[in-house]
Amino acid sequence: MGWPDKEQITTAVLDMLTINLDLKEGEKLLVVSDVPTAEHWRDKDQVTLADMLERTMLAKTVSEIALEHHPGCTVEFYTYPAVGSHGAEPLQAAAAKMCQADVVVAITSYSLSHTAAREGATEAGVRLASMPTFLARMFAPGGPMAVDYQQVAAEGQAIADWLTAAQEAVVRTPEGTDMRFSLAGRQGKPDHGLYTQKGSWGNLPAGEAYIAPLEGTAQGQLVVPAGWYPGLRENMTLHFRDGLVYALEGGGAVGENFLELLKPGDDREPYRSRRNLAELGIGTNPNASHPDNVLEAEKIRGTVHLAIGDNAHLGGTVSADLHEDFVLPQPDLFLDGEIVMRGGRVVRIG
């Protein structure tokens, strides 16, 4: 573990602030990160803790670069206690701090994307980049940040349009995923990485089109392949009925953790909402390549991802304290019975 090399990432950080976020002189930039709590120090292994601390050091370095090169801006680096799961709410003080900025860069270990805190900030007009589990190597030349974002935006919008037009989706993979669900009345959206308009937000690195399936309609099984989720060394299968996970098999330690989070068969909250099929996404970033980092993996061109938990921040109706994405390589995707992706290759846009 160590400080990120400031010199190596400076150009990419400045490109992010200019191209992706349109930071202007006189604006207030807030760089936020989450830090391990006492529970994390007690329960997490050294690798996990080192990863969290290195990410916070990266966030601090990003704030230092911004301060050095944008002296006309107010730049603040802010940390808050890590919440423990993607989609759980940060402390109110962190949420309030985000609302007071013009631009927020959130380099965190647990995602703020699907939270009321993020929604409150963007409703207040903040331009926000959500970067959960981001790694310094993503700033490297040829990496997932170094793409033509205009091209990514155009491809994402085209795919989002045919998601919007579809009534039903089917996803199948060689590992055994076979899922069917309704998209009726839902709007597909692109995550294009250009957060230059007031209140705009999304992931960095970006590159996907996504939609919230209609609640209560998902049927089938989702097989997450080994190596395509952090720490997953054997396939994990989630079984869906009427929109919810009702059983989970395999996955080793990762599977055991999800069994604790989801508690299939227990209809109490928060377990029921966590089991909701929340998202269908399609990756569009040509430089994304690492399958074991979900932030990057879900952007890999030629993949599909399905998520469980919260979809209220995607156009759905389920609010949950969890949003977890599962990335599927080499998928077949059917919309209204027509194959639009075969083995991960888009065969129709438009």
Side-chain angles (χ1 to χ4, degrees):
M1 184 183 73
W3 287 100
D5 189 315
K6 184 185 291 188
E7 184 175 336
Q8 286 186 358
I9 69 172
T10 291
T11 298
V13 169
L14 295 177
D15 284 347
M16 173 184 72
L17 295 176
T18 300
I19 297 169
N20 301 101
L21 292 162
D22 192 26
L23 180 66
K24 295 180 282 289
E25 296 305 295
E27 290 192 312
K28 181 175 182 178
L29 169 66
L30 177 69
V31 182
V32 300
S33 189
D34 49 357
V35 295
T37 64
E39 289 77 13
H40 283 88
W41 286 106
R42 184 187 66 224
D43 298 335
K44 300 297 184 181
D45 59 32
Q46 290 185 6
V47 173
T48 300
L49 290 166
D51 185 61
M52 295 178 70
L53 293 172
E54 191 162 350
R55 190 165 293 112
T56 297
M57 289 191 285
L58 174 61
K60 179 173 172 59
T61 304
V62 167
S63 72
E64 292 172 352
I65 292 169
L67 187 61
E68 291 169 9
H69 292 268
H70 290 273
C73 292
T74 301
V75 179
E76 183 177 359
F77 173 62
Y78 181 81
T79 61
Y80 63 90
V83 294
S85 64
H86 299 306
E89 295 291 337
L91 293 178
Q92 183 57 40
K97 179 75 72 172
M98 288 163 56
C99 290
Q100 296 163 9
D102 296 298
V103 175
V104 170
V105 173
I107 301 178
T108 59
S109 292
Y110 297 104
S111 177
L112 290 171
S113 297
H114 305 278
T115 64
R118 190 281 306 158
E119 190 169 49
T122 50
E123 285 180 351
V126 176
R127 309 192 302 280
L128 186 147
S130 180
M131 303 164 69
T133 73
F134 192 91
L135 300 171
R137 63 160 175 77
M138 296 179 186
F139 280 129
M145 289 291 289
V147 295
D148 180 343
Y149 277 103
Q150 297 296 336
Q151 175 188 334
V152 168
E155 183 175 340
Q157 187 61 63
I159 295 174
D161 287 345
W162 46 257
L163 290 174
T164 299
Q167 299 296 301
E168 184 181 68
V170 172
V171 179
R172 298 185 180 126
T173 68
E175 290 79 18
T177 292
D178 191 350
M179 292 285 294
R180 181 184 300 269
F181 43 85
S182 174
L183 303 178
R186 293 292 162 82
Q187 182 177 2
K189 299 177 182 178
D191 184 30
H192 45 61
L194 297 170
Y195 313 126
T196 60
Q197 301 299 312
K198 190 173 183 178
S200 58
W201 75 280
N203 281 160
L204 287 178
E208 68 171 283
Y210 61 90
I211 194 168
L214 192 65
E215 297 80 7
T217 65
Q219 314 286 348
Q221 65 179 22
L222 164 60
V223 182
V224 187
W228 282 82
Y229 187 89
L232 187 65
R233 295 180 175 84
E234 63 178 81
N235 289 2
M236 179 173 68
T237 302
L238 290 78
H239 297 273
F240 287 81
R241 182 170 55 226
D242 300 332
L244 301 175
V245 177
Y246 72 88
L248 185 150
E249 300 170 332
V254 173
E256 292 175 5
N257 182 57
F258 275 111
L259 280 172
E260 280 297 308
L261 285 170
L262 303 180
K263 293 193 183 299
D266 190 334
D267 277 343
R268 296 176 299 168
E269 294 294 353
Y271 309 115
R272 182 180 176 86
S273 294
R274 292 174 180 172
R275 298 198 300 270
N276 171 61
L277 182 71
E279 179 187 3
L280 163 67
I282 300 169
T284 61
N285 186 316
N287 288 2
S289 62
H290 288 72
D292 59 348
N293 179 284
V294 175
L295 174 68
E296 182 174 353
E298 67 178 8
K299 311 305 188 312
I300 296 173
R301 180 184 274 160
T303 64
V304 158
H305 56 276
L306 297 172
I308 57 171
D310 185 276
N311 70 2
H313 302 94
L314 299 174
T317 64
V318 174
S319 295
D321 62 353
L322 180 80
H323 182 94
E324 286 283 351
D325 296 280
F326 301 113
V327 183
L328 306 174
Q330 299 181 305
D332 292 338
L333 173 63
F334 300 80
L335 296 178
D336 296 335
E338 177 187 355
I339 189 164
V340 296
M341 292 184 75
R342 180 183 289 114
R345 183 180 296 274
V346 173
V347 297
R348 189 266 284 178
I349 296 181

